[in-house]
């Protein structure tokens, strides 16, 4: 079963809101894909939450789009921001990217997002969402997987 952003938001609304805020803090993020030979490729990307979905838009003929067509697995990392404060924590989303080619959906997205023409558009299906933050002296790792409750682990340096 494919878990879309709306499914995640319904399952864990507080956590989804924190993740959306973290991504909204900056425009550019980092997308991890797999090259033809299986090695990782990290690329800059503008990710957006619209129409209850997480969208990954890319320039035409970009290597990351070709990577996702060949192997849809991805990891999306929120921009950590300036300095070392990591306000809002370190956030990562993993899943599969489904290419969208329906002209009506692409036109609606382009109009709403003011996207340049032409572009590749992928909709994210989630396999995990992870947020790592610091609370005083503790490292806090929140992890969500489809069909499971949010798991929180707090670790110290002892």
């Amino acid at each position: 079963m494919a878990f879309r952003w709306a499914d995640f938001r319904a399952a864990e609304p507080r956590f989804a809101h924190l993740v959306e805020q973290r991504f909204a803090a900056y425009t550019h993020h980092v997308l991890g894909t797999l090259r033809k030979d299986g090695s990782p490729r990290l690329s800059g990307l503008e990710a957006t939450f619209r129409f209850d979905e997480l969208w990954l838009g890319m320039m035409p003929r970009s290597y990351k789009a070709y990577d996702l067509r060949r192997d849809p697995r991805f990891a999306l990392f929120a921009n950590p921001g300036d300095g070392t404060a990591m306000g809002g924590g370190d956030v990562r989303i993993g899943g599969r990217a489904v290419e969208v080619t329906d002209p009506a959906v692409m036109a609606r997205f382009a109009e709403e997002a003011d996207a340049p023409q032409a572009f590749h558009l992928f909709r994210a299906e989630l396999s995990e969402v992870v947020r790592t933050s610091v609370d005083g002296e503790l490292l806090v790792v929140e992890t969500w997987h489809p069909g499971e409750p949010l798991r929180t682990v707090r670790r110290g340096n002892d």
Side-chain angles (χ1 to χ4, degrees):
M1 178 174 168
F3 271 76
R4 294 161 82 151
W5 192 258
D7 301 320
F8 170 55
R9 189 185 294 134
E12 293 293 341
R14 180 201 62 84
F15 190 43
H17 180 71
L18 288 172
V19 170
E20 287 177 12
Q21 283 184 313
R22 190 68 191 86
F23 276 93
Y26 295 91
T27 302
H28 298 99
H29 307 287
V30 177
L31 178 70
T33 59
L34 295 170
R35 298 172 192 256
K36 228 186 269 192
D37 67 1
S39 63
R41 181 190 315 273
L42 298 177
S43 308
L45 178 84
E46 292 183 30
T48 185
F49 300 91
R50 297 177 190 280
F51 322 122
D52 286 330
E53 300 281 6
L54 168 56
W55 300 97
L56 312 173
M58 298 160 210
M59 292 177 21
R61 299 178 305 282
S62 66
Y63 288 122
K64 59 191 161 198
Y66 293 150
D67 288 347
L68 290 173
R69 281 180 170 173
R70 187 176 45 262
D71 185 332
R73 294 175 293 173
F74 74 89
L76 178 64
F77 298 83
N79 186 323
D82 298 330
T84 60
M86 295 267 299
D90 178 33
V91 175
R92 174 176 42 88
I93 299 171
R96 298 173 62 82
V98 177
E99 187 166 19
V100 175
T101 57
D102 180 312
V105 174
M106 293 188 71
R108 180 178 179 215
F109 179 86
E111 182 178 328
E112 173 78 18
D114 196 26
Q117 300 293 325
F119 60 97
H120 295 284
L121 183 62
F122 293 84
R123 179 182 45 77
E125 292 182 348
L126 310 180
S127 61
E128 72 172 354
V129 181
V130 179
R131 177 177 178 255
T132 304
S133 59
V134 176
D135 182 10
E137 297 293 316
L138 298 176
L139 180 70
V140 180
V141 181
E142 298 168 283
T143 307
W144 175 86
H145 292 97
E148 298 178 16
L150 180 66
R151 180 172 179 244
T152 302
V153 175
R154 298 176 187 281
R155 294 186 4 204
N157 282 333
D158 44 12

